Amino acid sequence: MTLPSHDAWIHTSHTLLPRWKSLSLLSHQVVEARDVLNFCKTSTLPISISRVNQVDAARLDVEMSAMLKEQLVKVFLLMKPGMLFQYEAELDAFLEFLIWRFSIWVDKPTPGIALMNLRYRDERAVEPRDKVRTGLEGPGLTVAQKLWYCVATVGGQYIWARLQSFSAFRRWGDTEQRPLARRLWILIQRIEGIYRAASFGNLLIFLCTGRYRNLIERALRARLVYGSPNMNRAVSFEYMNRQLVWNEFSEMLLLLLPLLNSSSVKNLLRPFSKDKSSGSAEDGTACPICQATPTIPYVALPCQHRYCYYCLRTRCAAAPSFRCSRCSEPVVAMQRLGGVPTE
């Protein structure tokens, strides 16, 4: 048996060393890939939901309810004026129920939430699993969460609005002869104060964490997340800027118009009218509120200007210090044309 030469051992080491290095590198890559896979399976990547989108979604839902209410009010336009305002709380609750029924109850987002590419997710079912990869997966709301959401948003707001209107109508806060009513009024005010303080605290937490816009979402653990990871902006920034400018301008008008006296403005602009004869003829026959010929003509006392009965009665009932729309004189009573005056 002959021993290998010294050069043979060197040649063999040079041949096997690169193979050993490649095998060790491959083993390290396999271990790293396995670690990454285990991390993806057992870790939740942090996500950040835009706070502006969540607030805008709430604002869009309010605008949608206002649009539906405006269209529904037009259906009862020919009915007795002021009758629909007696059931305004029921009307608001009915519209909110319709939005809830055809959106959240059927596992769909509300119109405002859908426009912002958001959806509700049950945080209680997501946290114990620890298998969320992108941070957007997770089940929707359960049946119990949907029902409690309806009870809180629809039923709670309706009961609270009716309780406030009833207590204000009965003057619980002004009476001194019924101590129980006074105590209930103080209790209502304290509950409202506590709720407002809690809502303000929740708003501060929302601005810091980006979770749960209101107390109802925090109590139900219903979080808004993106419905789709990728979404193209369908509205240009120029259009959005115009909408923001118009929104601010309309809010400014809504703030300033009630401070202006419409009768004084009309009297100021009357000398610049082109057709003065037709205007004077119209002033004597048409109602200054609805601009139509009165079906049941009534006159305001003491100025003797003619109105429709429903128009004048509604304005006097809504504002005890109502002033005539033509001469701005306080109306103390109303009288049917040729009849007996009534307060």
Side-chain angles (χ1 to χ4, degrees):
M1 182 177 180
T2 59
L3 295 174
S5 63
H6 181 70
D7 295 338
W9 288 102
I10 296 175
H11 178 70
T12 303
S13 64
H14 284 297
T15 303
L16 297 179
L17 185 61
R19 296 181 181 180
W20 173 257
K21 289 182 178 180
S22 62
L23 290 175
S24 61
L25 180 62
L26 181 61
S27 63
H28 283 298
Q29 291 178 354
V30 170
V31 172
E32 291 177 358
R34 184 178 58 188
D35 293 340
V36 170
L37 183 61
N38 292 332
F39 176 79
C40 293
K41 287 183 178 180
T42 60
S43 298
T44 302
L45 298 179
I47 59 174
S48 177
I49 308 299
S50 175
R51 297 165 179 79
V52 177
N53 287 1
Q54 299 184 57
V55 176
D56 287 345
R59 182 64 181 175
L60 289 173
D61 287 335
V62 173
E63 295 295 335
M64 178 63 67
S65 300
M67 291 174 60
L68 292 176
K69 183 178 179 180
E70 182 180 359
Q71 297 299 324
L72 191 59
V73 167
K74 291 182 179 179
V75 177
F76 303 93
L77 187 62
L78 299 179
M79 298 183 65
K80 181 180 177 181
M83 186 192 70
L84 192 62
F85 292 100
Q86 300 176 0
Y87 305 99
E88 187 174 3
E90 286 78 7
L91 180 62
D92 294 338
F94 176 70
L95 294 177
E96 292 293 335
F97 176 78
L98 287 181
I99 295 176
W100 171 84
R101 172 60 181 81
F102 294 102
S103 59
I104 296 178
W105 178 249
V106 293
D107 293 326
K108 293 182 179 180
T110 61
I113 295 177
L115 288 175
M116 293 292 107
N117 187 28
L118 299 173
R119 70 177 182 90
Y120 275 118
R121 185 180 73 181
D122 185 10
E123 287 292 286
R124 299 177 302 177
V126 171
E127 290 183 355
R129 294 183 180 182
D130 283 338
K131 293 183 180 180
V132 180
R133 295 183 179 179
T134 65
L136 300 180
E137 292 88 348
L141 302 182
T142 62
V143 177
Q145 286 177 316
K146 296 174 184 177
L147 293 176
W148 279 113
Y149 186 91
C150 177
V151 170
T153 57
V154 181
Q157 292 181 4
Y158 168 72
I159 293 175
W160 186 255
R162 273 302 178 190
L163 181 61
Q164 284 188 328
S165 61
F166 181 79
S167 60
F169 179 75
R170 295 290 182 176
R171 296 182 179 181
W172 287 358
D174 300 335
T175 179
E176 297 293 343
Q177 299 179 358
R178 294 180 296 175
L180 180 59
R182 180 69 178 179
R183 292 177 182 176
L184 291 176
W185 173 262
I186 295 175
L187 179 61
I188 292 174
Q189 297 300 316
R190 289 182 178 178
I191 293 175
E192 184 176 5
I194 294 173
Y195 178 79
R196 291 181 180 274
S199 300
F200 180 72
N202 181 81
L203 176 61
L204 296 179
I205 298 175
F206 168 74
L207 294 177
C208 294
T209 62
R211 294 187 177 188
Y212 311 119
R213 299 172 300 175
N214 49 51
L215 295 176
I216 298 175
E217 294 179 358
R218 184 170 296 276
L220 297 177
R221 301 295 300 278
R223 185 187 179 187
L224 285 176
V225 296
Y226 290 120
S228 174
N230 301 319
M231 179 181 178
N232 297 326
R233 184 181 293 275
V235 183
S236 63
F237 283 103
E238 182 181 359
Y239 176 77
M240 294 177 65
N241 291 334
R242 289 200 302 266
Q243 289 297 109
L244 289 174
V245 172
W246 173 250
N247 187 27
E248 295 298 329
F249 180 71
S250 60
E251 289 184 356
M252 183 185 67
L253 290 180
L254 292 176
L255 178 64
L256 295 179
L257 287 179
L259 303 178
L260 299 178
N261 193 337
S262 59
S263 301
S264 301
V265 175
K266 289 180 180 179
N267 294 332
L268 181 62
L269 298 178
R270 186 171 298 172
F272 302 97
S273 178
K274 295 181 179 179
D275 193 1
K276 298 182 180 180
S277 60
S278 61
S280 60
E282 184 182 0
D283 288 343
T285 58
C287 173
I289 298 177
C290 64
Q291 300 298 328
T293 303
T295 305
I296 305 177
Y298 264 69
V299 294
L301 299 179
C303 61
Q304 297 292 328
H305 286 128
R306 185 180 300 183
Y307 288 84
C308 296
Y309 169 73
Y310 290 122
C311 294
L312 184 59
R313 187 66 178 175
T314 304
R315 294 300 176 90
C316 291
S321 58
F322 173 66
R323 293 178 176 271
C324 179
S325 301
R326 298 191 187 278
C327 60
S328 300
E329 188 174 353
V331 177
V332 297
M334 53 186 292
Q335 176 183 355
R336 185 163 186 169
L337 196 62
V340 181
T342 58
E343 294 292 337

